[in-house]
Amino acid sequence: MTDLNAVPDEELLRLDRQICFSLHAASRAFGGLYRVLLRDLGLTYPQYLVMLVLWEHGELPVKRLGEHLRLDSGTLSPLLKRLEAAGLVRRRRSTEDERSVWVGPTDAGRELRAKAVLVPRRIAAATGFDPAEIDDLRQRLDRLTRTLDAASLDGGPDCG
């Protein structure tokens, strides 16, 4: 492991040394591929993520759905409105607490799942990674996310 204190400042500020840029570039590349693959499903990538959670968990409070997706209600509400207009999800107010809105897949939304199963297979094939490499990368990225979340709660790492 490289001691970053020993790396010259000019080297630290090179674009190709920035992990955030590598993740950004990979995310953009995934976005382009997902855009093509999801076109047949009539979904955008954020809508696909909503459907993945609903296929996995069934009906959920919107707040819980947002927690799964790391999205706030201001971002989630327009997604759900579009999915509802497309007939893929149904929203309803809780009878116990009218402030709470629940969302779940409709029959059409559940039927879409059968077509969607091809998407992860095609994504995996496009990466050129074997399943173990994909699992390892996902686990490392999950660990990175947890570490960065903790650092942001603590006010950031001590760089001094």
Side-chain angles (χ1 to χ4, degrees):
M1 181 173 273
T2 304
D3 176 8
L4 289 181
N5 290 324
V7 177
D9 290 352
E10 316 71 63
E11 185 69 17
L12 280 176
L13 295 177
R14 288 176 46 109
L15 183 62
D16 63 357
R17 286 196 59 111
Q18 309 306 308
I19 188 173
C20 57
F21 183 73
S22 294
L23 289 168
H24 173 73
S27 179
R28 287 184 55 83
F30 269 116
L33 182 56
Y34 272 103
R35 204 170 6 268
V36 171
L37 295 177
L38 294 175
R39 191 176 301 134
D40 291 342
L41 301 179
L43 296 174
T44 64
Y45 180 69
Q47 291 169 342
Y48 173 68
L49 296 179
V50 167
M51 295 308 298
L52 286 175
V53 173
L54 296 177
W55 291 326
E56 183 178 349
H57 297 282
E59 189 178 48
L60 291 171
V62 170
K63 181 177 180 176
R64 185 84 174 112
L65 176 63
E67 290 168 358
H68 280 287
L69 296 170
R70 300 175 61 100
L71 295 174
D72 61 46
S73 63
T75 303
L76 197 50
S77 290
L79 284 172
L80 295 175
K81 284 181 184 177
R82 285 191 294 277
L83 287 167
E84 190 172 40
L88 299 175
V89 303
R90 174 178 48 293
R91 292 182 295 169
R92 67 169 182 83
R93 292 232 172 254
S94 169
T95 54
E96 295 85 36
D97 178 1
E98 285 200 14
R99 296 170 297 175
S100 179
V101 175
W102 286 68
V103 63
T106 61
D107 289 342
R110 283 187 286 280
E111 289 170 13
L112 188 62
R113 185 178 185 275
K115 287 175 64 177
V117 79
L118 296 174
V119 173
R121 294 184 197 284
R122 290 180 177 163
I123 291 292
T127 67
F129 291 177
D130 67 41
E133 289 174 305
I134 291 172
D135 278 347
D136 180 62
L137 178 58
R138 186 189 41 74
Q139 288 173 20
R140 288 171 180 258
L141 290 171
D142 289 347
R143 189 177 87 208
L144 175 63
T145 301
R146 287 190 304 274
T147 302
L148 294 174
D149 282 347
S152 68
L153 293 175
D154 294 341
D158 180 15
C159 298

